[in-house]
């Protein structure tokens, strides 16, 4: 064989196919089109859809592997290598390292979130964005089965096999719903349990008929309706503290505002409300103004400056009147009333009325800030209620089965149509048009026994497969880490002068399995690296902890994103090699000796292409 002639193995048809530029162009073209389609999927549908059908699909992985093979064969098509091949080889090696790093990161990398709570023990369970079913039989091993439904949803004609346990039960996913309605129902029991009632509410004005089962003194003892709620507990409805029509000692405080005469704020400290109307008028820089008091159909006025701190009789009534405080520019500061300046920008007074009389509204019957009804059950099962209505105040009464009770909330009515003396909770799950949860239908079979149960996402439900039920949970996969996190502090910075959050920061204590620990803070675009040595960072074996989200309703909670990419170093080196190789190909000229050596090889190569039309071409 002549020095410039390709070796026999380089002229093999299989080698030429895998090294050919035509294959390279096909592979790169398909990858470009797939990336465009994946980007469209991500923006219009969901990132998980793009990952399922493209980026993490088996065909895409196979395509990348084929590209790596093409690069290796293309590099060996120039063997024996000479100096002028350096840039070509460096570029190909860099691309191969990038592909290898991406595959290693996908295979052994870690990515997910962990929600931690202040004053709670450390946690090492990472929540991974992969849906799984966990099947745990009593006394048996717990089986965790991946169940993503993006590629193929289970149906009765094409079920998804899950697992067959040691007890002989076979579990299958036979249906999927993106809209499940989850309700708690009460089931009668002979021993234990709690009293339960079924309440049905209705409003013709709004066209709604909500209903619910309630368990007394239980987490399922409250039915929230937005602006109103229904509660169920043991006991008897309490009577009001005062009885209308009888004189009692009364003490009431009232805040009155000059700029908002109709918005006085009163609070009954004893006995009930006086029914008084208080106005603050004629306030100026020189004068604190007058307070006008309207009570029992009579109106009187007092100078604020002369009434401060003095108990004055209200003519024609059994009450005395005191101006306790005056604020020229009223604000609430640190939870207490205060004046931010001496200018009469928002004048306000606090007055107190005291006396012995029949209250306009007895204490205990005032309308609260929210509509609610509390239903009580005594030892004999008799039902009574205490009703709070913004419109009608507080009232009490007895409840009879099937007879409606008027709530005083618009035209709402309540009916108790079922009652159980002893009951336990039972979750009812069914597909519904306006359901709030997704879920799968699981079928368990053993010989002639068949049991079905809908399992909502994020729930764990029992399945009666034997003497003791099997627990089946559907949710994200949990991955134990060799490090644990503990939230020691969570801070929220606010925009000046507003309650809008400007940023949030978590202080974390990180403990490794070998006992080493570190404390750090992470916030937006400022992650924590653990371990933080340059060797771990460069190799990608460090954990990067970033602030992911927070709960505005619970400032003792924080969600941290955790990422570890063991292929990061190879991708970094490979990217540098690609840049260096391209630079040397286009900007470094070969020496005269290399050019002389390359010329015959190029002529021979061109001649061979002309003869065979199959010469491998580098990319």
């Amino acid at each position: 064989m002549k020095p410039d002639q390709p070796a026999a193995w380089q002229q093999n048809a299989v080698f030429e196919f895998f090294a050919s530029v035509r294959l390279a162009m096909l592979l790169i073209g398909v990858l470009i089109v797939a990336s465009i389609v994946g980007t469209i999927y991500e923006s219009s549908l969901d990132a998980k859809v793009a990952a399922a059908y493209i980026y993490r699909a088996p065909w895409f992985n196979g395509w990348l592997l084929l590209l790596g093979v093409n690069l290796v064969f293309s590099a060996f098509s120039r063997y024996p290598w000479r100096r002028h091949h350096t840039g070509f080889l460096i570029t190909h090696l860099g691309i191969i390292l990038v592909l290898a790093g991406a595959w290693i990161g996908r295979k052994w990398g870690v990515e997910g979130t962990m929600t931690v709570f202040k004053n709670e023990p450390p946690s090492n369970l990472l929540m991974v964005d992969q849906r799984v079913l966990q099947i745990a039989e009593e006394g048996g091993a717990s089986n965790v089965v991946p169940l993503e439904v993006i590629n193929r949803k289970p149906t009765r004609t094409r079920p998804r096999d899950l697992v067959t346990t040691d007890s002989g039960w076979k579990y299958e996913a036979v249906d999927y719903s993106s809209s499940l309605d989850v309700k708690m129902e009460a089931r009668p029991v002979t021993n234990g349990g709690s009293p339960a009632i079924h309440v049905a509410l209705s409003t013709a004005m709004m066209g709604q008929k909500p209903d619910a089962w309630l368990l007394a003194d239980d987490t399922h003892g409250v039915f929230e309706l937005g602006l109103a709620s229904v509660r169920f507990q043991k006991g008897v409805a309490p009577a009001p503290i005062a009885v209308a029509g009888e004189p009692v000692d009364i003490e009431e405080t009232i805040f009155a505002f000059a700029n908002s005469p109709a918005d006085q704020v009163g609070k009954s400290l004893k006995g009930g409300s006086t029914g008084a109307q208080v106005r603050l008028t004629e306030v100026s820089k020189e004068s604190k103004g007058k307070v006008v008091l309207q009570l029992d159909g009579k109106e009187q006025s007092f100078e604020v400056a002369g009434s401060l701190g003095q108990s004055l009789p209200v003519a024609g009534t059994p009450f005395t009147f005191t101006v306790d405080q005056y604020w020229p520019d009223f604000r609430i500061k640190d939870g207490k009333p205060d004046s931010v300046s001496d200018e009469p920008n928002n004048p306000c007074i606090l007055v107190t009325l005291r006396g012995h009389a029949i209250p306009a509204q007895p204490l205990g019957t005032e309308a609260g800030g929210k509509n609610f009804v509390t239903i009580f059950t005594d030892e004999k099962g008799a039902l009574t209620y205490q009703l709070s209505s913004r419109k009608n105040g507080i009232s009490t009464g007895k409840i009879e089965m099937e007879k409606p009770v008027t709530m005083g909330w618009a035209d709402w009515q309540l009916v108790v149509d079922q009652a159980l003396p002893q009951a336990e909770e039972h979750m009812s799950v069914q597909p519904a048009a306006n359901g709030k949860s997704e879920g799968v239908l699981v079928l368990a079979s053993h010989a002639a026994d068949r049991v079905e149960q809908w399992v909502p996402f994020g729930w764990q439900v029992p399945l009666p497969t034997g003497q003791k039920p099997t627990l089946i949970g559907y949710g994200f996969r949990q991955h134990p880490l060799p490090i644990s996190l503990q939230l020691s502090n969570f801070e929220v910075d606010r925009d000046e002068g507003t309650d809008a959050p400007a940023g949030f920061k978590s202080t974390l204590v990180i403990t490794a399995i070998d006992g080493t620990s570190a404390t750090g803070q992470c916030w937006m675009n400022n992650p924590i690296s653990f371990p933080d040595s340059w060797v771990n960072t460069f190799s990608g074996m460090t954990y990067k902890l970033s602030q992911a989200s927070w709960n505005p309703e619970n400032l003792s909670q924080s969600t941290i994103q955790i990422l570890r990419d063991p292929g990061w170093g190879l991708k970094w080196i490979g990217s540098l090699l690609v840049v260096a190789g391209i630079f040397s190909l286009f900007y470094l000229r070969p020496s005269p000796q290399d050019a002389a050596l390359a010329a015959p090889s190029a002529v021979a190569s061109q001649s061979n292409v002309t003869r065979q039309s199959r010469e491998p071409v580098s990319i």
Side-chain angles (χ1 to χ4, degrees):
M1 182 183 69
K2 296 180 180 181
D4 298 329
Q5 187 177 10
W9 56 270
Q10 290 175 312
Q11 300 181 55
N12 181 277
V14 175
F15 181 90
E16 289 185 346
F17 169 77
F18 282 108
S20 68
V21 71
R22 293 178 182 176
L23 176 61
M25 292 299 100
L26 174 64
L27 294 173
I28 294 174
V30 171
L31 289 176
I32 291 174
V33 173
S35 299
I36 294 173
V37 175
T39 302
I40 295 173
Y41 272 17
E42 283 190 81
S43 59
S44 59
L45 297 175
D46 186 80
K48 289 199 68 174
V49 175
Y53 286 104
I54 298 179
Y55 302 130
R56 293 186 180 273
W59 75 265
F60 192 81
N61 293 332
W63 215 255
L64 290 176
L65 177 62
L66 192 56
L67 178 61
V69 172
N70 175 259
L71 290 168
V72 173
F73 275 67
S74 177
F76 275 95
S77 69
R78 294 298 180 90
Y79 188 82
W81 300 310
R82 296 182 175 90
R83 181 186 296 179
H84 64 271
H85 292 142
T86 302
F88 162 81
L89 294 174
I90 289 176
T91 304
H92 282 60
L93 177 60
I95 299 175
I96 293 171
L97 288 180
V98 170
L99 293 175
W103 184 81
I104 291 173
R106 180 178 298 183
K107 185 71 175 177
W108 289 290
V110 172
E111 183 177 5
T113 61
M114 184 184 298
T115 300
V116 288
F117 297 86
K118 191 176 178 180
N119 300 323
E120 290 287 330
S123 174
N124 74 324
L125 291 179
L126 185 73
M127 198 75 70
V128 181
D129 189 14
Q130 179 189 20
R131 283 166 169 76
V132 296
L133 266 174
Q134 184 175 19
I135 302 171
E137 290 185 335
E138 180 68 25
S142 177
N143 298 275
V144 178
V145 185
L147 186 63
E148 291 287 359
V149 298
I150 294 177
N151 289 321
R152 182 173 75 84
K153 297 179 181 179
T155 63
R156 291 190 181 275
T157 56
R158 296 183 63 196
R160 297 271 291 271
D161 290 337
L162 300 175
V163 68
T164 300
T165 60
D166 295 337
S167 62
W169 282 89
K170 179 181 179 181
Y171 296 89
E172 300 172 282
V174 296
D175 201 358
Y176 169 83
S177 175
S178 60
S179 178
L180 291 178
D181 184 27
V182 184
K183 285 187 177 181
M184 191 282 295
E185 295 182 350
R187 185 163 53 188
V189 294
T190 55
N191 297 316
S194 301
I197 59 172
H198 182 263
V199 296
L201 294 100
S202 61
T203 167
M205 184 183 301
M206 302 179 187
Q208 298 179 8
K209 294 183 178 180
D211 66 291
W213 277 96
L214 301 176
L215 293 176
D217 297 330
D218 189 83
T219 54
H220 299 290
V222 179
F223 182 30
E224 291 289 349
L225 297 168
L227 298 177
S229 62
V230 182
R231 311 167 189 172
F232 184 45
Q233 61 189 60
K234 298 176 183 178
V236 179
I241 297 174
V243 180
E246 297 181 3
V248 295
D249 289 333
I250 298 175
E251 182 175 355
E252 181 182 24
T253 59
I254 298 174
F255 285 88
F257 303 88
N259 296 341
S260 304
D263 294 335
Q264 73 174 33
V265 179
K267 182 178 181 181
S268 299
L269 303 179
K270 184 188 298 183
S273 172
T274 62
Q277 296 293 322
V278 180
R279 302 194 311 273
L280 179 60
T281 63
E282 302 180 18
V283 181
S284 64
K285 290 185 178 181
E286 294 77 20
S287 172
K288 295 179 181 178
K290 293 183 179 181
V291 53
V292 180
L293 176 65
Q294 187 175 6
L295 182 61
D296 293 341
K298 302 174 183 178
E299 186 172 288
Q300 301 178 53
S301 63
F302 304 85
E303 292 288 339
V304 172
S307 305
L308 276 171
Q310 297 188 28
S311 179
L312 304 174
V314 181
T317 72
F319 294 100
T320 59
F321 173 84
T322 304
V323 178
D324 298 298
Q325 189 68 47
Y326 168 80
W327 298 275
D329 197 356
F330 180 84
R331 296 288 190 280
I332 295 294
K333 187 176 181 181
D334 297 328
K336 297 180 180 180
D338 196 6
S339 182
V340 296
S341 72
D342 294 330
E343 297 294 322
N345 297 323
N346 186 30
C348 174
I349 58 171
L350 172 64
V351 301
T352 301
L353 291 100
R354 298 178 178 89
H356 188 78
I358 298 174
Q361 191 174 45
L363 186 65
T365 64
E366 305 90 343
K370 182 177 182 180
N371 297 320
F372 71 88
V373 59
T374 304
I375 302 174
F376 297 85
T377 178
D378 62 13
E379 295 178 353
K380 298 181 179 180
L383 300 176
T384 54
Y385 70 87
Q386 183 184 49
L387 172 66
S388 173
S389 167
R390 292 194 189 96
K391 179 180 178 182
N392 301 325
I394 293 180
S395 59
T396 60
K398 295 182 179 180
I399 291 182
E400 297 183 26
M401 300 294 294
E402 304 286 352
K403 290 189 176 182
V405 177
T406 301
M407 299 287 95
W409 321 327
D411 65 335
W412 283 93
Q413 289 189 326
L414 178 144
V415 174
V416 177
D417 52 19
Q418 296 183 62
L420 299 173
Q422 294 175 297
E424 65 180 9
E425 67 178 71
H426 171 69
M427 304 311 299
S428 171
V429 185
Q430 294 295 333
N434 298 317
K436 298 180 179 180
S437 176
E438 64 173 292
V440 294
L441 180 62
V442 176
L443 168 64
S445 58
H446 183 270
D449 298 327
R450 295 170 63 88
V451 183
E452 289 186 354
Q453 177 64 54
W454 280 101
V455 184
F457 185 81
W459 288 67
Q460 188 179 57
V461 299
L463 201 65
T465 56
Q467 294 182 347
K468 293 186 178 181
T470 298
L471 294 179
I472 301 182
Y474 181 42
F476 290 120
R477 182 169 68 89
Q478 291 185 322
H479 176 72
L481 295 177
I483 64 170
S484 61
L485 303 185
Q486 186 174 26
L487 181 65
S488 62
N489 194 27
F490 185 76
E491 307 169 51
V492 180
D493 297 327
R494 308 282 180 176
D495 290 329
E496 187 174 353
T498 71
D499 197 42
F504 34 90
K505 180 191 303 182
S506 295
T507 303
L508 301 170
V509 178
I510 311 157
T511 305
I513 196 170
D514 60 2
T516 60
S517 63
T519 300
Q521 291 184 324
C522 63
W523 59 90
M524 193 64 66
N525 299 322
N526 188 83
I528 304 172
S529 294
F530 181 85
D532 59 354
S533 67
W534 72 269
V535 176
N536 287 281
T537 301
F538 180 78
S539 64
M541 299 305 292
T542 186
Y543 289 92
K544 186 172 289 186
L545 286 66
S546 306
Q547 184 70 58
S549 63
W550 66 301
N551 184 358
E553 298 180 0
N554 185 1
L555 297 185
S556 295
Q557 173 184 335
S558 179
T559 300
I560 307 299
Q561 182 188 47
I562 302 178
L563 175 66
R564 191 192 69 173
D565 183 6
W568 183 87
L570 287 178
K571 289 185 284 188
W572 189 80
I573 295 173
S575 299
L576 289 180
L577 289 178
V578 169
V579 173
I582 293 175
F583 179 82
S584 64
L585 281 172
F586 288 95
Y587 296 100
L588 296 182
R589 294 188 177 185
S591 64
Q593 295 83 358
D594 290 335
L597 288 172
S601 177
V603 172
S605 177
Q606 179 61 38
S607 176
N608 193 49
V609 168
T610 303
R611 291 194 310 270
Q612 302 181 21
S613 300
R614 295 185 302 179
E615 170 63 17
V617 181
S618 63
I619 62 171

